[in-house]
Amino acid sequence: MSTIELAGARPFTYRFDPATSALVVIDMQRDFIEPGGFGASLGNDVTRLQAIVPTVRRLLDAWRATGGLIVHTREAHARDLSDCPPSKRLRGTPSLRIGDAGPMGRILVTGEPGSQIVAELAPAPGEVVIDKPGKGMFHATGLDSLLHAQGITHLVFTGVTTEVCVQTSMREANDRGYECLLIEDGTESYFPEFKAATLAMITAQGAIVGWVADSAELIGALAR
Ligand code: C5J
C-alpha cells in the first residue's frame, strides 16, 4: 500500500502510508467505560464512552486488514503504586482513589479486571500493549523507541478521553515529530464541550497539533 489521502480531514488533507503509520487506541479500559471504575468514581456518566466502542472496533478491523502496527494503551499503575505520585492519587474527592479496591478490583492498577481493555476491543496477538502511569503515552514508557525502531512516522489516534489522555498523548507525539490524526467519532469525553474544544484546539493555526477526520473516510480509504 502507498500514500493514502484523506481529503476530508481538517484543517486540510492528511496524507499517510500505512506501512509507516500506527493506529493508537488510548485507554479503552473497563475502568473508564464500565460502571464501577475510575471514570464512574469521579462522578462521570460512562455511557457516552461506551457508545464509541463499535466505531473503534470497525477501525481496528480495518487497520488489522492492512497488517499495520496497532498500539493499545492502558492507564495503569504498578501494584505498589510506586509510579503514582501523591499529587495524582490524592487530588479531588473521588468515591474511590487509584489503588483502592472497587467492584472491578483495584482502581487503575495493572492486572486488575478494571484495567483490562473492554472485551470487544481486546488486543490481538502481536499488537503492542503499553501500560502507562501518566496521561500521556510517552511518559515513563519505552514507546518512542519502539515506534522509531519500526519506522513509524504517522499516528492515528482513537480512544478516551479526548481532552485528557488522548490529547496529552497527541501533544507528546507532535512534539516528538509524529504527524498525528485524531478520529473524531473514534474518541469521546465525559464532557461534550471538552471534546469539541479539543478538536478545535488541535486543528487550529494550521494543524498546530494535528488533523481530525471521521472514521468512515479512513475506513473507506483503507479498503480501496
Ligand atoms: C483520564 C484518560 N481521563 N484515559 N484518563 O483520567 O483520559
Side-chain angles (χ1 to χ4, degrees):
M1 206 174 257
S2 52
T3 302
I4 289 177
E5 295 198 353
L6 302 182
R10 304 198 302 279
F12 51 87
T13 301
Y14 180 76
R15 294 182 177 82
F16 69 104
D17 180 345
T20 54
S21 306
L23 179 69
V24 180
V25 185
I26 299 282
D27 300 358
M28 292 298 288
Q29 297 164 254
R30 299 182 65 200
D31 263 329
F32 293 107
I33 292 173
E34 294 184 12
F38 184 60
S41 81
L42 293 166
N44 297 308
D45 171 10
V46 295
T47 57
R48 291 186 54 79
L49 274 52
Q50 284 166 5
I52 68 162
V53 170
T55 303
V56 178
R57 178 55 194 261
R58 283 193 294 277
L59 287 162
L60 273 171
D61 290 344
W63 204 271
R64 283 170 179 152
T66 73
L69 184 70
I70 296 177
V71 176
H72 303 261
T73 70
R74 299 183 294 209
E75 186 174 348
H77 292 277
R79 301 195 69 74
D80 63 3
L81 302 186
S82 55
D83 57 3
C84 183
S87 60
K88 181 174 184 182
R89 183 172 143 71
L90 299 177
R91 193 171 302 157
T93 52
S95 58
L96 290 169
R97 294 188 186 278
I98 295 169
D100 289 351
M104 293 189 288
R106 294 179 65 205
I107 296 286
L108 289 193
V109 168
T110 299
E112 296 289 325
S115 84
Q116 303 308 312
I117 292 167
V118 295
E120 300 92 316
L121 308 178
E127 295 175 358
V128 175
V129 182
I130 297 279
D131 278 347
K132 59 179 181 59
K135 303 303 184 191
M137 68 183 188
F138 291 99
H139 169 66
T141 68
L143 185 56
D144 196 30
S145 308
L146 186 151
L147 295 174
H148 274 291
Q150 304 223 20
I152 299 297
T153 55
H154 289 59
L155 297 173
V156 177
F157 284 88
T158 67
V160 297
T161 61
T162 313
E163 77 282 11
V164 185
C165 290
V166 176
Q167 180 171 209
T168 305
S169 297
M170 200 166 163
R171 287 177 180 273
E172 285 184 329
N174 189 50
D175 282 349
R176 286 165 175 77
Y178 298 95
E179 302 278 17
C180 298
L181 172 71
L182 175 59
I183 302 302
E184 179 163 7
D185 51 337
T187 184
E188 197 47 88
S189 170
Y190 300 118
F191 308 96
E193 66 276 24
F194 290 172
K195 174 176 176 176
T198 301
L199 300 182
M201 279 190 279
I202 65 174
T203 56
Q205 305 175 78
I208 198 155
V209 178
W211 285 255
V212 169
D214 66 28
S215 63
E217 186 178 12
L218 175 60
I219 291 168
L222 290 172
R224 279 196 284 276

